[in-house]
Amino acid sequence: MKKVLVLEDESNIRSFVVINLKRAGYETIEAGTGEEALEQLKHNPDIKVALLDIMLPGIDGFEVCRRIRASNSQIGIIMLTARTQEMDKVTGLMTGADDYVTKPFSPAELTARVDALYRRTGGAVVENADEIHQPPFLLNTRNRTLEKNGQRIKLTQVEYAIIKLFMDNPGKALSREDILDTVWGRDYFGELKIVDVNIRRLRIKIEDDPTNPTYINTVWGYGYKWGA
């Protein structure tokens, strides 16, 4: 059974989300506080996707996201928020979330986001080629890991998908739309800015100087190009 954690302190919203995810074939694990969510994750290590509300009693969704990412780079994380401010979306992504959904959202939109993220985290197909070597990077496509100068870099599944797209297309300028369609899927409902924030997060992880990137180069007004 495909397990999804639903962290939402408002019971009516949580029930709405749970009902629709169950209709889509998911087993839902519910939590009303951040502390409860972290405890549920300990007892259910096979959870592949977590929906995290931001505004919570006790520790908020941002902190829950940080704590999850400190020990688990594989789980997919979607932030649920009633806020529309740009900074909240960016903060959620920079703390390690893969996506965000702004309330109110339709059942179809939410299910599509979960489906897309679950495919990357739970249903990944093992690829035939084992390694892509572009010094100083080594991408192992069987284990879905990245090394730089022999040192492992922890990547989320979204970050892995972006890096693989770049390394499959060295020197080629990829538009934001290209990256969005390939990594998030053509049926993705979200905005192009999610690409930029994930690129920013990746640069922090892989660049010697993220403010002066060597590997992920910006193609102004278009997108990005891999320069390793």
Side-chain angles (χ1 to χ4, degrees):
M1 194 69 169
K2 302 182 293 184
K3 281 189 181 180
V4 177
L5 174 70
V6 180
L7 169 56
E8 169 60 65
D9 64 319
E10 294 187 38
S11 58
N12 59 330
I13 297 177
R14 189 169 68 247
S15 296
F16 168 77
V17 171
V18 166
I19 287 170
N20 283 284
L21 287 177
K22 285 182 175 178
R23 286 175 179 166
Y26 291 96
E27 177 184 348
T28 56
I29 307 298
E30 300 181 46
T33 67
E35 292 84 354
E36 185 182 356
L38 293 170
E39 195 64 28
Q40 289 283 26
L41 283 165
K42 289 180 183 178
H43 295 304
N44 297 274
D46 54 342
I47 289 173
K48 297 295 185 183
V49 174
L51 306 179
L52 309 179
D53 187 32
I54 290 180
M55 298 297 292
L56 297 166
I59 61 175
D60 64 14
F62 294 138
E63 181 60 25
V64 174
C65 184
R66 288 188 192 96
R67 295 189 188 185
I68 292 174
R69 279 290 177 245
S71 60
N72 189 335
S73 62
Q74 302 300 306
I75 190 171
I77 298 177
I78 300 175
M79 306 300 289
L80 302 177
T81 177
R83 301 177 177 183
T84 56
Q85 288 92 338
E86 189 73 15
M87 188 51 63
D88 290 324
K89 298 174 182 178
V90 172
T91 300
L93 293 170
M94 290 303 290
T95 54
D98 299 294
D99 201 356
Y100 58 82
V101 180
T102 303
K103 303 173 189 174
F105 45 79
S106 71
E109 177 186 6
L110 181 65
T111 302
R113 299 285 185 94
V114 173
D115 285 345
L117 195 51
Y118 196 93
R119 283 196 297 271
R120 291 193 298 273
T121 59
V125 176
V126 175
E127 299 163 47
N128 293 324
D130 288 339
E131 294 181 347
I132 302 175
H133 190 209
Q134 294 174 11
F137 297 102
L138 177 65
L139 188 74
N140 187 310
T141 58
R142 185 171 295 276
N143 298 329
R144 301 172 73 86
T145 57
L146 178 71
E147 293 181 0
K148 179 183 179 183
N149 294 319
Q151 298 296 310
R152 178 73 60 84
I153 297 173
K154 289 179 64 175
L155 299 178
T156 68
Q157 290 299 310
V158 166
E159 290 166 349
Y160 168 84
I162 294 173
I163 284 290
K164 185 175 185 305
L165 177 62
F166 279 136
M167 293 181 75
D168 281 339
N169 296 276
K172 178 181 178 181
L174 299 170
S175 71
R176 290 173 174 84
E177 290 83 0
D178 291 336
I179 298 170
L180 192 73
D181 287 348
T182 302
V183 175
W184 281 268
R186 292 186 178 276
D187 56 350
Y188 180 70
F189 285 84
E191 307 166 63
L192 282 174
K193 70 171 71 69
I194 195 171
V195 174
D196 299 319
V197 178
N198 273 276
I199 294 296
R200 188 188 314 173
R201 201 168 71 188
L202 262 177
R203 281 173 169 165
I204 291 171
K205 291 185 176 185
I206 73 168
E207 297 282 357
D208 298 324
D209 178 5
T211 62
N212 186 28
T214 302
Y215 307 113
I216 304 178
N217 301 302
T218 299
V219 180
W220 295 107
Y222 185 72
Y224 300 95
K225 181 172 65 173
W226 182 246

